[in-house]
């Protein structure tokens, strides 16, 4: 296995360049992949989380960046959440990075069907590549872990954020959100004990 070191993103300007680099890129360069490119997918997930979690800018930031691992390490399907989380944690903090890293396990956990969630054929195919459904023991351990609810919300937005033709805000719309999340992370990092 080839090791791909992930370079940490240190500034919002650099972070904004990453989604832009996803225009036209797919999560599976050698296969059919999702019906939208990685840029549109991230924008859709962010918009869905803005609607479902209007007071949670960190959730929106997680939606925007959750798929960047596909761009950072092409072909790294199973690890794309961890790759994206590693890239953004220093800038956006663990409240963004943990759900990004956990969104794949969140999609693997058994759950009652969500009638409001449109499941796409590609989602079923990628579930197999990502380890298949969790065992009951894995699901219990996941549910007891930190950021379970945020990861589940992101997993749902990830699955639903694959609609061709859905109108979403432009990438620059998210810059102020990312700037506020990064600034709050900086303030939190410099607070005395």
């Amino acid at each position: 296995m080839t090791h791909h070191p992930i370079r940490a993103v240190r500034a919002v300007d650099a972070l904004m360049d990453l989604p832009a680099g996803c225009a036209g890129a797919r999560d599976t360069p050698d296969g059919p992949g999702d019906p939208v490119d990685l840029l549109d997918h991230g924008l859709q997930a962010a918009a869905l989380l803005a609607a479902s979690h209007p007071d949670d800018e960190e959730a929106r930031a997680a939606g925007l960046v959750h798929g960047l691992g596909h761009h950072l390490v092409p072909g790294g399907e199973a690890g794309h959440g961890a790759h994206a989380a590693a890239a953004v944690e220093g800038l956006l903090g663990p409240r963004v990075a943990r759900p990004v890293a956990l969104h794949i396990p969140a999609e693997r956990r058994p759950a009652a069907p969500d009638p409001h969630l449109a499941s796409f054929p590609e989602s079923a195919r990628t579930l197999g590549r990502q380890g298949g459904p969790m065992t009951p023991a894995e699901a219990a351990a996941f549910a007891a872990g930190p950021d379970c609810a945020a990861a589940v919300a992101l997993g749902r937005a990830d699955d639903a954020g694959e609609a061709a033709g859905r109108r979403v805000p432009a990438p620059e719309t998210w810059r102020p959100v990312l700037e506020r999340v990064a600034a709050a992370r900086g303030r939190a990092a410099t607070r005395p004990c």
Side-chain angles (χ1 to χ4, degrees), residues 3-10 68-69 72-73 79-80 82-88:
H3 176 67
H4 297 280
I6 301 300
R7 183 170 296 158
V9 179
R10 305 251 183 248
L68 293 178
L72 297 169
V73 182
H80 79 271
H83 298 315
V88 304

Side-chain angles (χ1 to χ4, degrees), residues 66-138:
H66 80 280
L68 293 178
H70 290 294
H71 177 64
L72 297 169
V73 182
E77 175 72 34
H80 79 271
H83 298 315
V88 304
E89 184 171 17
L91 179 65
L92 300 178
R95 177 88 177 26
V96 173
R98 279 193 305 258
V100 168
L102 294 172
H103 82 275
I104 295 169
E107 291 175 3
R108 291 183 52 228
R109 78 185 232 302
D114 184 342
H116 304 292
L117 183 61
S119 188
F120 294 88
E122 181 62 14
S123 297
R125 184 181 68 77
T126 58
L127 178 63
R129 286 198 324 248
Q130 296 170 347
M134 285 183 178
T135 66
E138 289 173 324

